[in-house]
Amino acid sequence: MRLIALLTLAMLLPVQSPAHPLHLSITNITYENGKLNIQMKSFRDDWEIGYFHYHSKPIDFTDPGKREIPWFREYLNNRFRIATGKEMPGLTLEIDTVFLKDDAMTIEMHATVPSSPNSLYIYNTLLIDIFPDQTNLVIFVYKKKETGIKFDMKKHDAEVILR
């Protein structure tokens, strides 16, 4: 838990240099009353580099309209999924808000879980295709119990037991 707290603090500190030394996302997921609330924090410029990687042209995600382009949602949906079964299609994640603070970009989403599953499967390869050192931390909260999961180049998915 200390590592998660330290990394969270690192994400919230303003960065003075043009580049940051960490490639990191932190996602908080709360499952309550059949609904998932998701808050994902990452670095805005990492997304811009990702877009450049695929399209060979710069983009400025400080412009809210640029975050509405299909690539943004498609990339997110392809790299971050939650499902009720390992081979099941992912739940429909609805983006509620995307906002910026300093270099951090926060994406808030929600999803309805259609039944009472015994577990959920999380797939998270956000920005790993761009940055080999990318680390995606997930903190999953269910019935006041927190589970921390680290996703990286070696680990792309995990099961969270709900019983």
Side-chain angles (χ1 to χ4, degrees):
M1 277 313 198
R2 280 188 171 166
L3 175 64
I4 292 173
L6 247 171
L7 292 172
T8 302
L9 179 61
M11 282 235 6
L12 298 175
L13 291 175
V15 178
Q16 299 299 323
S17 67
H20 48 85
L22 297 173
H23 295 110
L24 174 72
S25 79
I26 298 175
T27 302
N28 292 292
I29 304 171
T30 304
Y31 179 46
E32 188 174 52
N33 299 321
K35 185 175 179 182
L36 294 170
N37 289 304
I38 303 157
Q39 184 181 63
M40 177 183 289
K41 289 186 179 182
S42 57
F43 289 101
R44 173 194 42 83
D45 64 328
D46 289 348
W47 284 82
E48 293 170 345
I49 292 168
Y51 182 85
F52 186 84
H53 174 82
Y54 283 97
H55 299 283
S56 300
K57 57 184 174 180
I59 192 165
D60 180 5
F61 283 132
T62 61
D63 176 354
K66 300 290 186 190
R67 298 188 302 258
E68 297 295 323
I69 62 171
W71 179 86
F72 185 84
R73 183 177 300 276
E74 289 168 8
Y75 185 83
L76 180 61
N77 288 337
N78 287 331
R79 302 290 188 261
F80 180 78
R81 291 188 299 276
I82 301 174
T84 57
K86 189 161 180 79
E87 302 301 322
M88 303 290 287
L91 301 173
T92 302
L93 301 178
E94 298 289 332
I95 296 176
D96 298 319
T97 59
V98 178
F99 61 91
L100 304 177
K101 182 175 181 186
D102 300 321
D103 283 343
M105 180 164 63
T106 302
I107 304 167
E108 295 180 331
M109 301 173 276
H110 73 275
T112 301
V113 180
S115 61
S116 296
N118 293 326
S119 61
L120 290 173
Y121 293 85
I122 302 170
Y123 174 82
N124 190 343
T125 60
L126 189 72
L127 298 166
I128 288 174
D129 57 327
I130 310 299
F131 305 106
D133 64 334
Q134 176 76 25
T135 299
N136 298 317
L137 300 176
V138 171
I139 302 167
F140 189 91
V141 180
Y142 176 66
K143 291 187 177 179
K144 298 181 183 181
K145 179 184 173 198
E146 289 187 3
T147 302
I149 308 165
K150 176 184 170 190
F151 298 92
D152 56 22
M153 184 65 88
K154 294 178 183 175
K155 182 176 180 172
H156 296 171
D157 57 358
E159 179 182 18
V160 178
I161 305 299
L162 300 175
R163 301 285 175 201

